[in-house]
Amino acid sequence: MEKNKQVTIRQLSKKLGVSISTISSVLNNRQEERRISPETVKRVQQAAREIGYLPNISARMLRSYSSSSYPITIAVLTSFQAPLPLISSVITTLQRVGNEAEYKDINFNVTVDMFEAGRVKELPGLLDGTRFNAALIANTIPTDDEFLAENVISSPVVFIGRDIPHYSSVKTVAHMTGRQAADILYSSGSRNPVILYSKILTQTTIARIEGFREDAEKLSGNKPVEIVADGFTEKNGYEAMKNFLDSGEKIDGLYTITDSLAVGSYHAVKKKGLKIPDDIAVIGTGDSSVSPYIDPPLSTFTRSQYNLHEEAVRLLFKQLNGKISMPTQVVVPVMPVLRESTRRGSIANFEIDI
Amino acid sequence: MEKNKQVTIRQLSKKLGVSISTISSVLNNRQEERRISPETVKRVQQAAREIGYLPNISARMLRSYSSSSYPITIAVLTSFQAPLPLISSVITTLQRVGNEAEYKDINFNVTVDMFEAGRVKELPGLLDGTRFNAALIANTIPTDDEFLAENVISSPVVFIGRDIPHYSSVKTVAHMTGRQAADILYSSGSRNPVILYSKILTQTTIARIEGFREDAEKLSGNKPVEIVADGFTEKNGYEAMKNFLDSGEKIDGLYTITDSLAVGSYHAVKKKGLKIPDDIAVIGTGDSSVSPYIDPPLSTFTRSQYNLHEEAVRLLFKQLNGKISMPTQVVVPVMPVLRESTRRGSIANFEIDI
DNA sequence: TTGTATGCGTTATCAT
DNA sequence: ATGATAACGCATACAA
C-alpha cells in the first residue's frame, strides 16, 4: 500500500530554485515583512498547491513549542465495534478533568486511534512509543488482551473495563452486576428469565453474562435462555427480541447487556401485545440518558460508563503526575436503579427512581 | 498558568553526567545491544521516573517517520456544548472513510480539540497551523463564526452544519426542515403548534426555528409557542415540557429541535395523561437510533448527522487529495420520516416507516 | 529581495 | 561501556 509521499519544503525549494527560508516565509504569509517579490510568492504558492504540499506537523511543533513546554499526547484507543458514545464520553471527560485546577499544568492534546476488534497489534506506534505519551484503551476483545499482556507498552496506560496484567485498569464489578440482575428479576417474580446480549463480547460483558447465568439458574432453577443480537443498537435489540418472541419460547423476565438493547426489546414486546412489567419485567445496564423517559421507565444499573471514564482519566493523570507509579486497579461500584420496568412481585415496593 | 515544564533527554544527560545517546538507549530498552552497564541503566531509569520524563512525541515522530512518509494530522474541533454523539460519529466516519480504497493512501492521525462555545479563538494552533493539516469544525456559535470569518485558517477546513465565508461547509437545508415540520404538524390537524428547542443556538438550529415560525404562523394563523430547554438531553426536554404543560397553555402539536428533546417530552406528556398523537402530534429532528422504538415511534427528519459527517469527511479528503481546491458548499438533503407520532388528520394515511 | 545557518528533541551510526 | 555527531522538517535571526 503506497502511503502518501509527503513533499517537504526542501523539495519545493530544489524544484523552484528558491531557498528554503523563502518558501517557508511565503507559506506562513510572512511575504510582506520578508519583502518577497510578488512573482516569487505566486510561484511558490502555486507550486505548493499543485504538488499538494502539507507541512509536517511534528516538525512545526518541534520548532514552535520548544523551550521546555510542548504539549504531551494522550491517545484514546478503541475498536470500531465500540458502543458509539464511548469515544465522546472519554474525550469529553479528558478535556473536562484536564481543565481542573489540579491538572491545569498538564498541557496535552488528544488523539484518537481506532482498530478492528482483534487487531490492536496493528495500531501504529502502540509499542514503539512514537505516537503517544499516555493512553486510554477500551473495547479490546480477548485476542487483543492476549497480545497486550504479552507485549509491553512503555507509556502510562489505563485500560477501561478490562484487566490486563501489569497495567492499570478501571473496571466495574461486572460479574456482580449480572448476579444482581438475576436477583432483581427473580424478586420481581420472574421464573423464566432471559438474557439478551450482543455477539461482540468483551471481558466486561462476558463477566455480566456469567454472573447472570449463575444466579438465574440458582434462583429460578432454570438455565436462563440466551438471546444473541448482532450488535448493540436498538435495532439489533428489536430484531433479536422479535425473533425470540415469534419462536414462542417462555419468558417473563429480561436482562439486557446494554440499555439500547432493552429499548429495542420494548418495541418488540409491545408489538406482540405483551405488557412491561406485567408480562415481562425488564432490566438493562448502563443507565442511558433515555432510560428514565421510555415507557415504562427502564430499570437498569448506574451509568458505570460515566464513572468508569472519569476514574480512568483521573488515574491516567495521576500516573502522569507521578502521584502513582505502580499499576493500579480501580473498581467502580455499580448500583441498580429501579424503575417501573421491574415493578412487580416482591420488588414492587422498592423506591422508584423517577 | 504554569504549564508542564518538559524535561528533555539533554537535561537528564547533564544532570546525570551521562551522554545523550546513552540515555536514549536506556529509555528505548536498547541497553543490551548497546551494552550499557547495569548501574548506569538503573541510574538513568530512576532519574527518568523521578523527574517525570516524557518524550517529545513530535521529535520522535520527526525522527522516526521521516523519509517522505509521515502521517498528516486531521483535527476535529468542537465545542463542549456539542451533542455528545457528534465526536464519535465524526471520528468513526473519518476512520471508516479513510479506510476506503480511494483514500487508503492518506496516512493520517486524528486529534480532537474542544473549546467552550464562543471561544474557538483560544484554541491553540488554530491560526498558526502548528497543530493540524486539516480540520473538521462543528458546533460553533455565532461569536465563533464571526471570529472565523475574520481570520484565515490556511489548512483545508470543512465546517459541519454552518457556513463561514471563504470556507467549505456541509449543511442541511435547516430552514426548509423547520418549514416542513410546520407543514406536517398542520396536516396532522395541529392548530396550536409548539416548538421546543435548546437555549444553545447554532446556525442550524436557528434556521430550523425560523423556518418553523414562518410556516407555522402562516398555516395555523397562530404564532407558535416556543419552549426553551436548558440543553439537548432527554432530561432537559422532560423538564421543559413538564413546566409548559403545567402552565396549561394550549398545545396540539410539537416540533423538537432534536429527537432527544422529544423523548423527554413524551414522558411529560404521558404523565399528564395526554396521548400521542391523539392529543399532541410530535415530530423531532435527526432520526436518533431510539426514535423508531419509543412509544409511539417518533416522526422525525432523517439523520442528517450521519450524512453530514460522511459528506464533510469526504469533502475534506478531496481537498487533501487536491481533487477540490475552491471552498465548496455541500447541502445534504433532509427527508421527513413519518411514524406513529404524527399519524393523525390528513397525514394519517401516509406511508409509515416502521 | 533572498539565502545561510542554527536549533527544536530525538534516535542511529559511527567512533572511541 | 559510552560519547560525539548527523539528520529528520521547519521557522527565524542574521547576513548578503
PDB file of all heavy atoms in Angstrom, chain B residues 277-301:
ATOM      1  N   PRO B 277     -50.424  10.252  19.147  1.00  0.00           N
ATOM      2  CA  PRO B 277     -50.571  11.604  18.611  1.00  0.00           C
ATOM      3  C   PRO B 277     -51.960  12.210  18.836  1.00  0.00           C
ATOM      4  O   PRO B 277     -52.177  13.345  18.428  1.00  0.00           O
ATOM      5  CB  PRO B 277     -50.351  11.377  17.119  1.00  0.00           C
ATOM      6  CG  PRO B 277     -50.918  10.010  16.888  1.00  0.00           C
ATOM      7  CD  PRO B 277     -50.662   9.225  18.128  1.00  0.00           C
ATOM      8  N   ASP B 278     -52.876  11.474  19.478  1.00  0.00           N
ATOM      9  CA  ASP B 278     -54.257  11.955  19.560  1.00  0.00           C
ATOM     10  C   ASP B 278     -54.367  13.364  20.133  1.00  0.00           C
ATOM     11  O   ASP B 278     -55.021  14.231  19.551  1.00  0.00           O
ATOM     12  CB  ASP B 278     -55.112  10.986  20.399  1.00  0.00           C
ATOM     13  CG  ASP B 278     -54.912   9.548  19.946  1.00  0.00           C
ATOM     14  OD1 ASP B 278     -53.866   9.280  19.308  1.00  0.00           O
ATOM     15  OD2 ASP B 278     -55.775   8.696  20.214  1.00  0.00           O
ATOM     16  N   ASP B 279     -53.748  13.598  21.265  1.00  0.00           N
ATOM     17  CA  ASP B 279     -53.823  14.934  21.857  1.00  0.00           C
ATOM     18  C   ASP B 279     -52.721  15.849  21.324  1.00  0.00           C
ATOM     19  O   ASP B 279     -52.932  17.021  21.061  1.00  0.00           O
ATOM     20  CB  ASP B 279     -53.710  14.824  23.384  1.00  0.00           C
ATOM     21  CG  ASP B 279     -54.859  14.011  23.972  1.00  0.00           C
ATOM     22  OD1 ASP B 279     -56.016  14.285  23.605  1.00  0.00           O
ATOM     23  OD2 ASP B 279     -54.593  13.084  24.759  1.00  0.00           O
ATOM     24  N   ILE B 280     -51.545  15.281  21.202  1.00  0.00           N
ATOM     25  CA  ILE B 280     -50.416  16.076  20.717  1.00  0.00           C
ATOM     26  C   ILE B 280     -49.643  15.264  19.677  1.00  0.00           C
ATOM     27  O   ILE B 280     -49.170  14.161  19.979  1.00  0.00           O
ATOM     28  CB  ILE B 280     -49.452  16.433  21.878  1.00  0.00           C
ATOM     29  CG1 ILE B 280     -50.208  17.161  22.999  1.00  0.00           C
ATOM     30  CG2 ILE B 280     -48.289  17.264  21.376  1.00  0.00           C
ATOM     31  CD1 ILE B 280     -49.337  17.519  24.187  1.00  0.00           C
ATOM     32  N   ALA B 281     -49.552  15.788  18.479  1.00  0.00           N
ATOM     33  CA  ALA B 281     -48.696  15.158  17.466  1.00  0.00           C
ATOM     34  C   ALA B 281     -47.272  15.649  17.700  1.00  0.00           C
ATOM     35  O   ALA B 281     -47.064  16.792  18.082  1.00  0.00           O
ATOM     36  CB  ALA B 281     -49.156  15.530  16.070  1.00  0.00           C
ATOM     37  N   VAL B 282     -46.311  14.774  17.511  1.00  0.00           N
ATOM     38  CA  VAL B 282     -44.915  15.155  17.791  1.00  0.00           C
ATOM     39  C   VAL B 282     -44.008  14.812  16.612  1.00  0.00           C
ATOM     40  O   VAL B 282     -44.118  13.737  16.028  1.00  0.00           O
ATOM     41  CB  VAL B 282     -44.378  14.420  19.048  1.00  0.00           C
ATOM     42  CG1 VAL B 282     -42.943  14.860  19.354  1.00  0.00           C
ATOM     43  CG2 VAL B 282     -45.276  14.652  20.250  1.00  0.00           C
ATOM     44  N   ILE B 283     -43.150  15.738  16.283  1.00  0.00           N
ATOM     45  CA  ILE B 283     -42.114  15.450  15.295  1.00  0.00           C
ATOM     46  C   ILE B 283     -40.772  15.984  15.795  1.00  0.00           C
ATOM     47  O   ILE B 283     -40.693  17.087  16.328  1.00  0.00           O
ATOM     48  CB  ILE B 283     -42.473  16.016  13.900  1.00  0.00           C
ATOM     49  CG1 ILE B 283     -41.405  15.591  12.873  1.00  0.00           C
ATOM     50  CG2 ILE B 283     -42.633  17.536  13.926  1.00  0.00           C
ATOM     51  CD1 ILE B 283     -41.849  15.710  11.425  1.00  0.00           C
ATOM     52  N   GLY B 284     -39.759  15.172  15.674  1.00  0.00           N
ATOM     53  CA  GLY B 284     -38.425  15.547  16.149  1.00  0.00           C
ATOM     54  C   GLY B 284     -37.494  15.894  15.007  1.00  0.00           C
ATOM     55  O   GLY B 284     -37.925  16.232  13.915  1.00  0.00           O
ATOM     56  N   THR B 285     -36.215  15.793  15.265  1.00  0.00           N
ATOM     57  CA  THR B 285     -35.219  16.067  14.232  1.00  0.00           C
ATOM     58  C   THR B 285     -34.001  15.176  14.444  1.00  0.00           C
ATOM     59  O   THR B 285     -33.471  15.117  15.558  1.00  0.00           O
ATOM     60  CB  THR B 285     -34.735  17.531  14.288  1.00  0.00           C
ATOM     61  OG1 THR B 285     -35.833  18.382  14.568  1.00  0.00           O
ATOM     62  CG2 THR B 285     -34.066  17.931  12.989  1.00  0.00           C
ATOM     63  N   GLY B 286     -33.563  14.504  13.415  1.00  0.00           N
ATOM     64  CA  GLY B 286     -32.294  13.792  13.481  1.00  0.00           C
ATOM     65  C   GLY B 286     -32.366  12.280  13.409  1.00  0.00           C
ATOM     66  O   GLY B 286     -31.353  11.619  13.260  1.00  0.00           O
ATOM     67  N   ASP B 287     -33.558  11.735  13.505  1.00  0.00           N
ATOM     68  CA  ASP B 287     -33.725  10.292  13.458  1.00  0.00           C
ATOM     69  C   ASP B 287     -32.703   9.550  14.312  1.00  0.00           C
ATOM     70  O   ASP B 287     -31.908   8.757  13.820  1.00  0.00           O
ATOM     71  CB  ASP B 287     -33.659   9.776  12.022  1.00  0.00           C
ATOM     72  CG  ASP B 287     -34.337   8.423  11.888  1.00  0.00           C
ATOM     73  OD1 ASP B 287     -34.993   7.999  12.857  1.00  0.00           O
ATOM     74  OD2 ASP B 287     -34.197   7.777  10.831  1.00  0.00           O
ATOM     75  N   SER B 288     -32.742   9.823  15.579  1.00  0.00           N
ATOM     76  CA  SER B 288     -31.888   9.109  16.525  1.00  0.00           C
ATOM     77  C   SER B 288     -32.193   7.623  16.477  1.00  0.00           C
ATOM     78  O   SER B 288     -33.280   7.210  16.078  1.00  0.00           O
ATOM     79  CB  SER B 288     -32.146   9.672  17.925  1.00  0.00           C
ATOM     80  OG  SER B 288     -32.174   8.646  18.877  1.00  0.00           O
ATOM     81  N   SER B 289     -31.231   6.834  16.904  1.00  0.00           N
ATOM     82  CA  SER B 289     -31.415   5.381  16.793  1.00  0.00           C
ATOM     83  C   SER B 289     -32.546   4.863  17.675  1.00  0.00           C
ATOM     84  O   SER B 289     -33.086   3.788  17.439  1.00  0.00           O
ATOM     85  CB  SER B 289     -30.103   4.666  17.140  1.00  0.00           C
ATOM     86  OG  SER B 289     -29.728   4.960  18.456  1.00  0.00           O
ATOM     87  N   VAL B 290     -32.923   5.616  18.692  1.00  0.00           N
ATOM     88  CA  VAL B 290     -34.023   5.143  19.547  1.00  0.00           C
ATOM     89  C   VAL B 290     -35.387   5.531  18.986  1.00  0.00           C
ATOM     90  O   VAL B 290     -36.395   4.928  19.340  1.00  0.00           O
ATOM     91  CB  VAL B 290     -33.940   5.689  21.000  1.00  0.00           C
ATOM     92  CG1 VAL B 290     -32.559   5.523  21.578  1.00  0.00           C
ATOM     93  CG2 VAL B 290     -34.389   7.120  21.093  1.00  0.00           C
ATOM     94  N   SER B 291     -35.438   6.500  18.109  1.00  0.00           N
ATOM     95  CA  SER B 291     -36.722   7.072  17.704  1.00  0.00           C
ATOM     96  C   SER B 291     -37.715   6.077  17.114  1.00  0.00           C
ATOM     97  O   SER B 291     -38.913   6.210  17.341  1.00  0.00           O
ATOM     98  CB  SER B 291     -36.484   8.242  16.744  1.00  0.00           C
ATOM     99  OG  SER B 291     -35.714   9.227  17.395  1.00  0.00           O
ATOM    100  N   PRO B 292     -37.270   5.089  16.338  1.00  0.00           N
ATOM    101  CA  PRO B 292     -38.266   4.149  15.811  1.00  0.00           C
ATOM    102  C   PRO B 292     -38.832   3.234  16.890  1.00  0.00           C
ATOM    103  O   PRO B 292     -39.816   2.554  16.657  1.00  0.00           O
ATOM    104  CB  PRO B 292     -37.466   3.303  14.809  1.00  0.00           C
ATOM    105  CG  PRO B 292     -36.169   4.009  14.611  1.00  0.00           C
ATOM    106  CD  PRO B 292     -35.918   4.805  15.844  1.00  0.00           C
ATOM    107  N   TYR B 293     -38.197   3.195  18.052  1.00  0.00           N
ATOM    108  CA  TYR B 293     -38.532   2.177  19.042  1.00  0.00           C
ATOM    109  C   TYR B 293     -39.230   2.710  20.277  1.00  0.00           C
ATOM    110  O   TYR B 293     -39.580   1.950  21.173  1.00  0.00           O
ATOM    111  CB  TYR B 293     -37.268   1.391  19.411  1.00  0.00           C
ATOM    112  CG  TYR B 293     -36.684   0.742  18.181  1.00  0.00           C
ATOM    113  CD1 TYR B 293     -35.550   1.258  17.562  1.00  0.00           C
ATOM    114  CD2 TYR B 293     -37.313  -0.349  17.595  1.00  0.00           C
ATOM    115  CE1 TYR B 293     -35.040   0.691  16.397  1.00  0.00           C
ATOM    116  CE2 TYR B 293     -36.817  -0.925  16.432  1.00  0.00           C
ATOM    117  CZ  TYR B 293     -35.682  -0.394  15.843  1.00  0.00           C
ATOM    118  OH  TYR B 293     -35.211  -0.949  14.684  1.00  0.00           O
ATOM    119  N   ILE B 294     -39.388   4.009  20.357  1.00  0.00           N
ATOM    120  CA  ILE B 294     -40.104   4.536  21.508  1.00  0.00           C
ATOM    121  C   ILE B 294     -41.596   4.438  21.214  1.00  0.00           C
ATOM    122  O   ILE B 294     -42.006   4.047  20.129  1.00  0.00           O
ATOM    123  CB  ILE B 294     -39.685   5.974  21.855  1.00  0.00           C
ATOM    124  CG1 ILE B 294     -39.920   6.913  20.670  1.00  0.00           C
ATOM    125  CG2 ILE B 294     -38.230   5.996  22.279  1.00  0.00           C
ATOM    126  CD1 ILE B 294     -39.616   8.360  20.998  1.00  0.00           C
ATOM    127  N   ASP B 295     -42.401   4.810  22.185  1.00  0.00           N
ATOM    128  CA  ASP B 295     -43.832   4.526  22.107  1.00  0.00           C
ATOM    129  C   ASP B 295     -44.650   5.804  22.173  1.00  0.00           C
ATOM    130  O   ASP B 295     -44.725   6.417  23.230  1.00  0.00           O
ATOM    131  CB  ASP B 295     -44.195   3.591  23.277  1.00  0.00           C
ATOM    132  CG  ASP B 295     -45.613   3.081  23.184  1.00  0.00           C
ATOM    133  OD1 ASP B 295     -46.260   3.305  22.138  1.00  0.00           O
ATOM    134  OD2 ASP B 295     -46.064   2.461  24.162  1.00  0.00           O
ATOM    135  N   PRO B 296     -45.271   6.248  21.119  1.00  0.00           N
ATOM    136  CA  PRO B 296     -45.247   5.663  19.771  1.00  0.00           C
ATOM    137  C   PRO B 296     -43.974   6.061  19.028  1.00  0.00           C
ATOM    138  O   PRO B 296     -43.371   7.089  19.367  1.00  0.00           O
ATOM    139  CB  PRO B 296     -46.463   6.316  19.101  1.00  0.00           C
ATOM    140  CG  PRO B 296     -46.543   7.665  19.740  1.00  0.00           C
ATOM    141  CD  PRO B 296     -46.129   7.464  21.166  1.00  0.00           C
ATOM    142  N   PRO B 297     -43.624   5.276  18.018  1.00  0.00           N
ATOM    143  CA  PRO B 297     -42.460   5.610  17.207  1.00  0.00           C
ATOM    144  C   PRO B 297     -42.519   7.063  16.736  1.00  0.00           C
ATOM    145  O   PRO B 297     -43.584   7.541  16.352  1.00  0.00           O
ATOM    146  CB  PRO B 297     -42.563   4.626  16.046  1.00  0.00           C
ATOM    147  CG  PRO B 297     -43.202   3.426  16.658  1.00  0.00           C
ATOM    148  CD  PRO B 297     -44.220   3.983  17.627  1.00  0.00           C
ATOM    149  N   LEU B 298     -41.389   7.717  16.804  1.00  0.00           N
ATOM    150  CA  LEU B 298     -41.328   9.167  16.604  1.00  0.00           C
ATOM    151  C   LEU B 298     -41.118   9.561  15.146  1.00  0.00           C
ATOM    152  O   LEU B 298     -40.170   9.109  14.505  1.00  0.00           O
ATOM    153  CB  LEU B 298     -40.177   9.733  17.447  1.00  0.00           C
ATOM    154  CG  LEU B 298     -39.873  11.225  17.340  1.00  0.00           C
ATOM    155  CD1 LEU B 298     -41.020  12.061  17.901  1.00  0.00           C
ATOM    156  CD2 LEU B 298     -38.566  11.558  18.046  1.00  0.00           C
ATOM    157  N   SER B 299     -41.977  10.398  14.648  1.00  0.00           N
ATOM    158  CA  SER B 299     -41.730  11.026  13.354  1.00  0.00           C
ATOM    159  C   SER B 299     -40.567  11.994  13.511  1.00  0.00           C
ATOM    160  O   SER B 299     -40.416  12.626  14.560  1.00  0.00           O
ATOM    161  CB  SER B 299     -42.964  11.799  12.883  1.00  0.00           C
ATOM    162  OG  SER B 299     -44.002  10.911  12.559  1.00  0.00           O
ATOM    163  N   THR B 300     -39.780  12.108  12.470  1.00  0.00           N
ATOM    164  CA  THR B 300     -38.589  12.939  12.616  1.00  0.00           C
ATOM    165  C   THR B 300     -38.054  13.262  11.233  1.00  0.00           C
ATOM    166  O   THR B 300     -38.713  12.992  10.233  1.00  0.00           O
ATOM    167  CB  THR B 300     -37.539  12.197  13.480  1.00  0.00           C
ATOM    168  OG1 THR B 300     -36.395  13.022  13.652  1.00  0.00           O
ATOM    169  CG2 THR B 300     -37.122  10.886  12.841  1.00  0.00           C
ATOM    170  N   PHE B 301     -36.887  13.859  11.177  1.00  0.00           N
ATOM    171  CA  PHE B 301     -36.244  14.074   9.889  1.00  0.00           C
ATOM    172  C   PHE B 301     -34.982  13.226   9.837  1.00  0.00           C
ATOM    173  O   PHE B 301     -34.373  12.972  10.880  1.00  0.00           O
ATOM    174  CB  PHE B 301     -35.911  15.558   9.694  1.00  0.00           C
ATOM    175  CG  PHE B 301     -37.143  16.382   9.517  1.00  0.00           C
ATOM    176  CD1 PHE B 301     -37.774  16.947  10.614  1.00  0.00           C
ATOM    177  CD2 PHE B 301     -37.694  16.571   8.261  1.00  0.00           C
ATOM    178  CE1 PHE B 301     -38.938  17.693  10.461  1.00  0.00           C
ATOM    179  CE2 PHE B 301     -38.858  17.309   8.101  1.00  0.00           C
ATOM    180  CZ  PHE B 301     -39.478  17.871   9.201  1.00  0.00           C
TER     181      PHE B 301
END
